[in-house]
Amino acid sequence: MTDSHHMASSPDTTLASLTTLRLGGPAKAVIECGSTEALVQTVRDLDARGESVLLIGGGSNLVIGDDGFDGTAVVIASSGIEYGEEDGRPFVTAEAGTDWDALVAATVESGFGGLECLSGIPGAAGTTPVQNVGAYGVEVADVLRRVRLLDRTTGSISWVGPDDLELAYRTSNLKGRDSQVVLAVSFWLNPEQRSAPIAYRELARAIDVAEGGTANAADVRSRVLELRASKGMVLDPTDHDTWSAGSFFTNPIVAEGDLDAILKRITNRLGTDVSVPRYPADAGVKLSAGWLIERAGFTKGFPSDDAPARLSTKHTLALTNRGSATTADLLALAGRVRDGVCEAFGVELHPEPVFVNCAMPEKN
Ligand code: EPU
């Protein structure tokens, strides 16, 4: 049975309008699924016909090539949220297409905390576990209760806990594969509008709480929204400076043993009094991609006012489409930045978004 009320085929098959970068050529067809039933049915039908399928949630972590996609794009637009309690702990469950920030806002307004540090992130709730979204000291792995998946190889639907997803810094075993479709996602919450522990220094300072302490979730949410906006990381359709995929590169994790050589190259170039931002990480030391990009000479707004693709004027880690860019323009800029940072400091940057029918240029 097909739920035609909740499924719409769109005559406009250009994918640009479905991504936050506003980039990407046409698909053969675009089907919007407004309910979980329609989503399951549509994916099953397309799979049975052997059709290529591109799943699109909020489109905030996708770079789609100028030639578009030779298959059907399925837009996940199922939405709805439900609260519950397990072992005395509240949780919220959202259908995959629920707007992420609307979910965060709703939980805070309903008197819960836990998700507030992840305020203002563009995208759909269902895709947040895919790349283990994180910001201001909290990542999805910290709060995820379980996800409901449609397995496209077996056709079965099941709830899966976070331990089975291999969640790590900006990745999971769901990323870049599309063999599982997230149908719904469930997060633990805190009662009494209690925030998650505030681990991010800049935020702790802004709300005047000790690092590791908690605060009122609504207060934290408004501070996070301010901080994000000051970095151009809140999507504004009228401001090209925010037409991005968020951070284009992940913060590089370098092996302990390589650190000295890298620091030497940095001080050779910038002087010995420079303080290099770095944080302990699982497999080494995490450096700051934005900092390295800026110090390699790619300053905010690079390369110029009139370039179709430029770095954001507020944050060097966001590559932006000024309205007339092509995907090729954006990827050329990305390649230039990656090569320049590697030349300057010997650090390799890796892109964070998923690429569809396009790729980064070959390395220099
Ligand atoms: N910096 C610069 N120039 C810039 C921007 C930043 O030199 O233009 C330096 C500063 O020294 C700053 C440091 O980089 O202190 C870190 O910058 P920021 O606090 O903005 O964080 P980030 O490491 O660049 C990460 C996430 C963001 C997340 C913020 C806040 C990644 C790849 N990015 O950015 O996530 O919002 O922390 O927690 O981990 C995303 O993944 O799309 C994203 C936006």
Side-chain angles (χ1 to χ4, degrees), residues 15 18 27 29-32 52-56 69 71-75:
L15 300 174
L18 299 174
V30 176
I31 303 177
E32 189 178 289
S52 297
V53 173
L54 171 64
L55 298 166
I56 303 187
F69 178 69
T72 300
V74 172
V75 180

Side-chain angles (χ1 to χ4, degrees), residues 181-363:
V181 185
V182 179
L183 302 177
V185 58
S186 187
F187 297 96
W188 293 114
L189 299 173
N190 302 329
E192 291 167 28
Q193 245 187 23
R194 245 326 86 192
S195 77
I198 308 297
Y200 198 86
R201 185 164 305 160
E202 205 181 347
L203 179 62
R205 254 192 232 132
I207 50 181
D208 200 19
V209 65
E211 266 176 75
T214 63
N216 172 267
D219 292 344
V220 176
R221 174 170 164 79
S222 36
R223 290 302 176 150
V224 166
L225 287 173
E226 276 169 29
L227 271 178
R228 282 192 77 88
S230 73
K231 298 179 188 197
M233 295 283 185
V234 177
L235 188 65
D236 173 352
T238 64
D239 180 3
H240 289 161
D241 216 22
T242 68
W243 287 20
S244 76
S247 299
F248 195 88
F249 297 100
T250 52
N251 286 325
I253 296 173
V254 301
E256 207 59 77
D258 295 336
L259 187 64
D260 279 349
I262 292 166
L263 292 178
K264 192 143 189 267
R265 286 181 74 160
I266 294 177
T267 48
N268 280 348
R269 193 177 160 112
L270 303 173
T272 45
D273 54 350
V274 66
S275 139
V276 184
R278 62 183 126 146
Y279 318 90
D282 279 348
V285 180
K286 195 191 268 185
L287 302 177
S288 159
W291 189 95
L292 292 165
I293 291 169
E294 178 126 28
R295 272 56 178 196
F298 304 101
T299 49
K300 296 181 184 77
F302 179 90
S304 63
D305 281 355
D306 54 356
R310 339 168 41 187
L311 301 186
S312 151
T313 66
K314 299 192 183 77
H315 201 298
T316 55
L317 205 42
L319 273 62
T320 60
N321 167 11
R322 314 310 288 196
S324 63
T326 61
T327 304
D329 294 330
L330 189 92
L331 292 175
L333 174 64
R336 229 172 134 183
V337 167
R338 174 202 59 197
D339 293 343
V341 168
C342 192
E343 260 163 53
F345 306 126
V347 177
E348 195 162 331
L349 295 183
H350 299 284
E352 183 183 302
V354 171
F355 295 90
V356 175
N357 201 13
C358 64
M360 294 276 290
E362 290 295 311
K363 272 176 220 149

